[in-house]
């Protein structure tokens, strides 16, 4: 996908270039084979957007992290040069400002920002919580949802009308000192440009940021247990993102709504709990993350299967990220780890 942007001035006028800063996540556990859980809301709020981002899990395909920014300091612009970004808004609202125009976002929105997009964010208040993914391949809607022409098929759980695309293009025909923080391969480069980066008078093409709400994901349900791909929201190279939304449970008269224990040999499974009650888990809070590594089975906690019998619907809201290659665990993640989660299926331990 590409777009053509029509600038007032050449986008090449670099005035200064500061020393690069290494912001690569520090790996604590390279090879993880334990079920782990993390308290995402324990990530401390920080004043600035970039500094607030804490990468928790990494592999060569993606980085996954959490951020609790109080604001986006207005003395710089930001560009991720080699990763598409997905910002899932768990708390807060605001306006994404880009050279393509602006996108208003709120609770429940996935904001997709293609690599190379220069942006700033106006947060409406200081209490913001964001789950983010940096993907080193394009983040796309699943191909099986689309027809030959790229249009979403009618059985897709969402369609074009759900996409919030950039609006209200503002053109800043200004010269001065404009700092752009550019992230590439875990290094932050600080560039000073002569022209305002939002000097675009118009653009066309298919590469642009957009947002889509998890609340616009229409769940697909069945008489018996539907497998996880039914929840798929996005795909990229070697990982998928799924939306678990309020829905009817399996409605066969003898269905047991709790999922069966399963051996995820194809992916690590990372679940981020957003809201509602989580039928298959005990002791889960909002913002909590579970990571079930590929290679060992996992499934409902003790009591969850019995609890589920006769239930008609779930209010759970969660985002699942399944990296097909194992993720390493960072030092930041260990700071918010829940002790002993891997033993939580032992009956005495609940
Ligand atoms: Fe699972």
């Amino acid at each position: 996908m590409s777009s053509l942007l029509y600038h007032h001035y050449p986008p090449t006028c670099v005035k200064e270039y500061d020393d690069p800063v290494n912001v690569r996540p520090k790996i604590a556990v390279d090879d993880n084979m334990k079920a782990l859980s993390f308290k995402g809301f324990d990530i401390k709020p920080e004043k600035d957007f970039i500094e607030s981002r804490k990468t928790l899990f990494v592999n060569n395909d993606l980085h996954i992290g959490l951020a609790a920014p109080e604001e986006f300091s207005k003395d710089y612009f930001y560009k991720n040069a080699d990763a598409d970004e997905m910002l899932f808004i768990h708390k807060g609202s605001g306006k994404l400002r880009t050279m393509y125009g602006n996108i208003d976002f709120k609770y429940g929105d996935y904001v997709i920002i293609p690599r190379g997009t220069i942006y700033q964010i106006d947060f409406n208040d200081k209490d913001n919580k964001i789950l983010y993914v940096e993907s080193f391949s394009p983040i796309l809607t699943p191909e099986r949802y689309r027809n030959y022409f790229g249009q979403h098929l009618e059985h897709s759980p969402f369609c074009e009308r759900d996409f919030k695309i950039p609006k209200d293009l503002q053109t800043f025909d200004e010269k001065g000192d404009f700092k752009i923080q550019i992230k590439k391969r875990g290094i932050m480069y600080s560039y000073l440009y002569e022209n305002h980066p939002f000097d675009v008078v118009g653009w066309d093409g298919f590469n642009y940021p957009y947002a889509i709400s998890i609340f616009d994901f229409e769940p697909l349900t069945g008489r018996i247990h539907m497998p996880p791909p039914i929840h798929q929201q996005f795909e990229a190279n070697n990982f998928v993102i799924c939306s678990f939304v309020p829905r009817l449970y399996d409605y066969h008269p003898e269905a047991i709504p709790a999922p069966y224990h399963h051996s995820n040999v194809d992916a690590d499974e990372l679940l981020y709990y957003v809201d509602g009650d989580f039928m298959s888990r005990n002791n889960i809070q909002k913002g909590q993350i579970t990571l079930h590594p590929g290679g060992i089975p996992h499934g409902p906690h003790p009591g969850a299967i019995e609890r589920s019998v006769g239930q008609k619907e779930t209010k759970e809201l969660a985002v699942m990220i399944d990296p097909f290659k194992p993720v390493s665990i960072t030092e930041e993640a260990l700071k918010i780890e829940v002790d002993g989660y891997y033993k939580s299926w032992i009956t005495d331990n609940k």
Side-chain angles (χ1 to χ4, degrees):
M1 290 183 290
S2 66
S3 287
L4 292 174
L5 288 84
Y6 305 93
H7 293 264
H8 255 287
Y9 303 107
T12 44
C13 302
V14 176
K15 288 173 91 168
E16 291 294 342
Y17 167 86
D18 259 357
D19 290 341
V21 178
N22 186 337
V23 294
R24 279 182 191 141
K26 297 191 174 69
I27 306 299
V29 183
D30 243 326
D31 296 293
N32 171 57
M33 193 52 172
K34 246 184 2 189
L36 299 173
S37 184
F38 306 87
K39 289 201 169 161
F41 275 15
D42 282 2
I43 296 284
K44 300 274 177 299
E46 285 193 42
K47 197 164 163 54
D48 179 55
F49 176 70
I50 287 185
E51 283 171 14
S52 75
R53 292 165 63 126
K54 307 296 176 199
T55 301
L56 307 177
F57 313 104
V58 303
N59 69 18
N60 286 335
D61 302 308
L62 78 165
H63 288 186
I64 302 165
L66 291 171
E70 291 182 343
E71 59 186 62
F72 187 116
S73 126
K74 280 299 172 307
D75 68 353
Y76 69 88
F77 299 82
Y78 169 67
K79 174 168 88 171
N80 198 324
D82 59 5
D84 282 23
E85 294 194 350
M86 182 280 283
L87 311 180
F88 175 77
I89 311 300
H90 192 168
K91 252 188 176 184
S93 61
K95 191 185 287 289
L96 176 78
R97 295 187 177 280
T98 78
M99 67 252 221
Y100 298 91
N102 304 325
I103 301 172
D104 290 327
F105 63 80
K106 60 184 180 186
Y107 168 50
D109 281 345
Y110 293 100
V111 183
I112 304 294
I113 308 168
R115 70 203 57 188
T117 304
I118 299 168
Y119 72 85
Q120 286 182 326
I121 296 176
D122 293 342
F123 289 107
N124 290 336
D125 58 53
K126 292 190 165 183
D127 188 11
N128 303 293
K129 298 207 184 290
I130 297 172
L131 166 72
Y132 68 87
V133 168
E134 295 180 39
S135 168
F136 303 106
S137 62
I139 298 175
L140 307 171
T141 59
E143 194 176 350
R144 69 178 189 283
Y145 293 169
R146 287 185 266 114
N147 67 17
Y148 172 78
F149 301 96
Q151 183 186 16
H152 281 88
L153 296 163
E154 288 183 81
H155 73 264
S156 166
F158 51 86
C159 73
E160 285 75 12
R161 75 178 60 140
D162 299 320
F163 288 78
K164 296 186 242 189
I165 60 175
K167 290 196 300 195
D168 305 326
L169 178 66
Q170 289 171 286
T171 306
F172 296 87
D173 175 11
E174 290 173 24
K175 283 184 175 288
D177 291 329
F178 300 98
K179 186 160 88 175
I180 306 186
Q181 298 277 58
I182 303 175
K183 189 176 184 188
K184 185 175 177 183
R185 285 175 51 82
I187 309 289
M188 197 68 82
Y189 300 90
S190 186
Y191 271 79
L192 198 65
Y193 278 90
E194 185 183 32
N195 310 312
H196 196 295
F198 300 166
D199 70 338
V200 171
V201 296
W203 60 273
D204 53 60
F206 283 80
N207 190 57
Y208 51 87
Y210 67 94
I212 184 167
S213 174
I214 195 169
F215 298 111
D216 286 332
F217 188 96
E218 289 301 328
L220 302 168
T221 59
R223 263 163 53 91
I224 57 167
H225 185 67
M226 306 287 271
I230 216 75
H231 305 283
Q232 194 177 346
Q233 179 92 47
F234 300 110
E235 69 186 10
N237 187 44
N238 284 338
F239 74 91
V240 295
I241 298 174
C242 298
S243 296
F244 286 79
V245 301
R247 63 191 182 279
L248 290 182
Y249 275 139
D250 315 339
Y251 42 83
H252 185 286
E254 293 183 5
I256 293 172
Y260 32 80
H261 297 94
H262 50 284
S263 209
N264 48 314
V265 289
D266 298 316
D268 279 5
E269 282 185 25
L270 195 141
L271 201 57
Y272 178 80
Y273 297 89
V274 181
D275 202 1
D277 62 323
F278 304 106
M279 174 264 289
S280 62
R281 300 265 89 88
N282 299 334
N283 306 317
I284 287 283
Q285 300 167 357
K286 287 182 190 182
Q288 198 156 339
I289 294 173
T290 56
L291 171 61
H292 298 123
I296 50 169
H298 66 277
H301 269 141
I305 295 172
E306 296 80 354
R307 261 200 323 267
S308 79
V309 173
Q311 302 276 334
K312 297 286 180 238
E313 61 178 331
T314 173
K315 302 280 189 216
E316 76 177 0
L317 192 66
V319 175
M320 184 169 79
I321 304 168
D322 282 5
F324 301 163
K325 300 279 165 39
V327 290
S328 300
I329 317 296
T330 69
E331 290 178 5
E332 290 291 345
L334 292 193
K335 291 180 190 169
I336 57 165
E337 191 194 348
V338 176
D339 273 352
Y341 175 73
Y342 72 101
K343 296 182 186 173
S344 59
W345 286 267
I346 301 289
T347 318
D348 305 347
N349 205 38
K350 69 181 176 180

